[in-house]
Amino acid sequence: MRSAKTVVGNWKMHGLKAALAEVSAIAAGLADAHAVEVAVCPPSTLLAASAEAARGTPLRIGAQDVSDLACGAHTGDLAAAMLADAGAAIVIVGHSERRRDHGETDALVARKARAALAAGLRPIICVGEGLEEHDRGAALEVVRRQLAGSVPEEARGAGFLLAYEPNWAIGTGRTPSPEDIASVHAAIRRATEPFGAPPILYGGSVTGKNAGELMAVEGVDGALVGGASLTAADFLPIVAAAARTAAGASLAPAASR
Ligand code: PGA
């Protein structure tokens, strides 16, 4: 198992300027977080100021979405180069809320990931089944189909990440069983091995209470966190749990990794 962990906070449509204090508090709390890469994705209005608040610390700043286009007459959209210019290092693409609210297709998600990579941003490509698909046992089939359509050729060997986020676990307080997470992560690993074994994050109702258990699941390289990433008080315990899991993994005998 990969020993380093990645923990990414997705603030979604939350956060006014006062929330910058949380970015600073998260950054300040990372001093002891060894073997954990940590990022926060605030709303675009706070990107530049968040990058400023995180400057000189291990905290990276990310965006929540990106246009698939480079520039032009596209009112309201933001190009990857603009996000990078504002201080973003990563960007979430294909989040289930974008797929649901804006009708984003796998093909569009792949183009967005390609645009991100071209501008030097690391995309986090999200996949995950809905409740009805989960209930009829179609999770693996759905995730494989999404991966086939959402991961562009250009991602081969590039620094991208994947996130498995079962839609029914997002913001609901429900999480899949460790066995189910391990089986989907193993399928994602098999499908994306030719792309260079990208880290695979789990997302959906991750909290300080369950993070240790979730991040110890075989094949889980970290977490994508929504609600529990909005304050340093909620987010830092998740980072600490990741650090403990990462330290445990690196101390384990090579045969069990
Ligand atoms: P949640 O959201 O942690 O609030 O469930 C996760 C996500 O949507 O990335």
Side-chain angles (χ1 to χ4, degrees), residues 46-110:
L46 297 182
L47 264 184
S50 297
E52 194 53 45
R55 186 195 292 272
T57 78
L59 180 65
R60 298 195 191 287
I61 299 301
Q64 300 174 13
D65 180 43
V66 63
S67 171
D68 61 321
L69 302 167
C71 62
H74 306 289
T75 303
D77 286 345
L78 296 171
M82 294 169 176
L83 302 175
D85 187 47
I90 61 173
V91 60
I92 299 168
V93 295
H95 190 281
S96 60
E97 287 153 16
R98 301 280 326 165
R99 292 175 185 263
R100 180 195 68 201
D101 296 348
H102 300 273
E104 294 196 2
T105 60
D106 291 335
L108 177 58
V109 174

Side-chain angles (χ1 to χ4, degrees), residues 10 12 95 97 165 169-172 203-206 224-228:
N10 170 13
K12 309 191 179 183
H95 190 281
E97 287 153 16
E165 297 206 305
I170 294 177
T172 59
S205 296
V206 178
L224 181 54
V225 186

Side-chain angles (χ1 to χ4, degrees), residues 148-211:
S150 307
V151 181
E153 261 311 304
E154 288 80 354
R156 218 170 266 272
F160 76 109
L161 302 95
L162 293 161
Y164 169 53
E165 297 206 305
N167 306 2
W168 53 272
I170 294 177
T172 59
R174 293 176 61 198
T175 55
S177 69
E179 294 73 26
D180 283 353
I181 296 176
S183 115
V184 178
H185 277 235
I188 295 176
R189 171 77 63 229
R190 276 193 298 278
T192 56
E193 203 94 66
F195 287 82
I200 306 169
L201 314 185
Y202 166 78
S205 296
V206 178
T207 65
K209 283 204 171 67
N210 62 18

Side-chain angles (χ1 to χ4, degrees), residues 208-233:
K209 283 204 171 67
N210 62 18
E213 188 193 353
L214 290 168
M215 269 178 287
V217 173
E218 182 70 34
V220 173
D221 300 316
L224 181 54
V225 186
S229 71
L230 291 171
T231 64

